[in-house]
Amino acid sequence: MRLLPGFIACGLVSLAATALQAGEEHLFKRAWLESLVLAILIGAVLRVFWRPGVRAAPGIAFTAKTLLEVAVVLLGASVSVATLWSIGPLLMLLIAVVVAVAIGLGYVCSRALGLKWRTATLIACGNAICGNSAIVAVAPVIGADGEDIATSIAFTALLGVVAVVAMPLIGLALHMTPVAYGAWAGMTIYAVPQVLAATSPLGSVASQTGTLVKLVRVLMLGPVSVVLSILMRRREQPAQDAKLDVRRLVPWFIVGFLALAGVRSLGLIPTAILKPVADTTSVLTVLSMAALGLSTDLRAVARAGVRASAAATVCLLLLAAIAFGAVALRDFI
């Protein structure tokens, strides 16, 4: 019962965010801001006028951490290793290289612009892998707080919309083939619906290619999370202790994510429950973002605004350039 007041507060914020997304879809036929983004924004604005007291704090903390970790586990049911083999080894390798290079360069640039290392990591990973979903999944691995997450999500969400509008114009101007453009969009744009929106002007082949490439890029979330977890453990461990505690090497929710992805790949998850699992994941994620919003001090986010927006923009431009080079290399080979 002690968690109930905070959970109710998160639930009300989530309902408001879901209603606003539904309103967007009704008015504009698409959601420019997803409920995940709206939940953290509404929660953060509400926090300006209402600071959660001792009754609400435990429920908000539980929702922000534990429910977020459960959502990450359930996310594993949405990915399948079979997707890797359907795209071909060369393009699969190029996608992995693009993700790794984009994370490295994005982190270096974000740090050079003065961001905290956790915010820099979230922006780099969100940019390189899958936007908000990657930020949400990586955040508990590195111990990021609500302000880190809010800052990262705010600017990647905005840039995702910009990319959807700008990339088709660039692809058409450069007379890119549907396959080449689809691969470029799939390696660059953050979310699958955004990939579909950005590739549709160049036809169904571009959309199919872009979606497949994007799904393979999402699969990089597992390996990246494991690597970050190992680096975090080494960072936290005293230098004089040479042994690494294997039991604490990877967080339980990353193990769960990988296990569920493996079960899905083996075909052991009935197709009928995939949509309910996906819907549950979405609900838990929105609730978690509402909790993080209610834990966020907007003044701290505003102080990082200029640096974070510059970092996110530079990261996206770097990713687009690296992905374009990878597509050109693939065509050349």
Side-chain angles (χ1 to χ4, degrees), residues 136-252:
V136 168
V138 168
V141 176
I142 64 172
D145 59 23
E147 291 172 11
D148 296 324
I149 298 170
T151 300
S152 305
I153 283 181
F155 297 108
T156 53
L158 175 61
L159 289 172
V161 174
V162 173
V164 168
V165 175
M167 287 190 68
L169 300 176
I170 297 172
L172 290 169
L174 296 178
H175 304 290
M176 297 179 73
T177 66
V179 172
Y181 175 74
W184 183 46
M187 288 188 202
T188 305
I189 295 174
Y190 300 144
V192 173
Q194 292 175 340
V195 170
L196 290 173
T199 53
S200 58
L202 279 82
S204 60
V205 173
S207 295
Q208 292 165 7
T209 304
T211 301
L212 186 57
V213 169
K214 181 67 190 71
L215 290 174
V216 174
R217 189 169 145 220
V218 171
L219 293 179
M220 298 297 111
L221 184 58
V224 168
S225 297
V226 170
V227 171
L228 286 174
S229 176
I230 293 172
L231 293 175
M232 278 295 295
R233 295 304 180 196
R234 291 189 180 278
R235 179 188 180 97
E236 294 171 354
Q237 194 173 31
Q240 65 270 21
D241 187 359
K243 293 183 178 180
L244 190 65
D245 187 350
V246 177
R247 292 171 299 178
R248 298 182 60 218
L249 188 61
V250 181
W252 73 271

Side-chain angles (χ1 to χ4, degrees), residues 49-304:
F49 305 98
W50 174 67
R51 186 180 184 87
V54 291
R55 291 188 62 199
I60 292 173
F62 174 83
T63 305
K65 184 179 186 300
T66 305
L67 290 190
L68 176 57
E69 293 172 348
V70 172
V72 172
V73 173
L74 295 179
L75 189 63
S78 67
V79 299
S80 170
V81 177
T83 308
L84 291 171
W85 303 114
S86 66
I87 201 169
L90 176 59
L91 189 53
M92 185 173 68
L93 175 62
L94 289 173
I95 293 170
V97 171
V98 167
V99 169
V101 173
I103 289 175
L105 290 179
Y107 179 81
V108 170
C109 290
S110 297
R111 292 288 285 158
L113 287 166
L115 295 183
K116 296 184 296 182
W117 73 266
R118 284 188 172 90
T119 306
T121 301
L122 291 181
I123 288 178
C125 290
N127 176 72
I129 304 173
C130 51
N132 296 335
S133 297
I135 291 170
V136 168
V138 168
V141 176
I142 64 172
D145 59 23
E147 291 172 11
D148 296 324
I149 298 170
T151 300
S152 305
I153 283 181
F155 297 108
T156 53
L158 175 61
L159 289 172
V161 174
V162 173
V164 168
V165 175
M167 287 190 68
L169 300 176
I170 297 172
L172 290 169
L174 296 178
H175 304 290
M176 297 179 73
T177 66
V179 172
Y181 175 74
W184 183 46
M187 288 188 202
T188 305
I189 295 174
Y190 300 144
V192 173
Q194 292 175 340
V195 170
L196 290 173
T199 53
S200 58
L202 279 82
S204 60
V205 173
S207 295
Q208 292 165 7
T209 304
T211 301
L212 186 57
V213 169
K214 181 67 190 71
L215 290 174
V216 174
R217 189 169 145 220
V218 171
L219 293 179
M220 298 297 111
L221 184 58
V224 168
S225 297
V226 170
V227 171
L228 286 174
S229 176
I230 293 172
L231 293 175
M232 278 295 295
R233 295 304 180 196
R234 291 189 180 278
R235 179 188 180 97
E236 294 171 354
Q237 194 173 31
Q240 65 270 21
D241 187 359
K243 293 183 178 180
L244 190 65
D245 187 350
V246 177
R247 292 171 299 178
R248 298 182 60 218
L249 188 61
V250 181
W252 73 271
F253 54 90
I254 296 300
V255 174
F257 171 90
L258 295 173
L260 204 55
V263 172
R264 166 71 189 280
S265 300
L266 293 173
L268 300 179
I269 299 180
T271 305
I273 72 168
L274 289 177
K275 188 177 187 306
V277 169
D279 291 341
T280 302
T281 304
S282 178
V283 169
L284 292 179
T285 303
V286 174
L287 278 168
S288 301
M289 292 303 101
L292 288 167
L294 290 170
S295 307
T296 298
D297 183 353
L298 275 181
R299 290 167 295 184
V301 174
R303 287 195 293 270

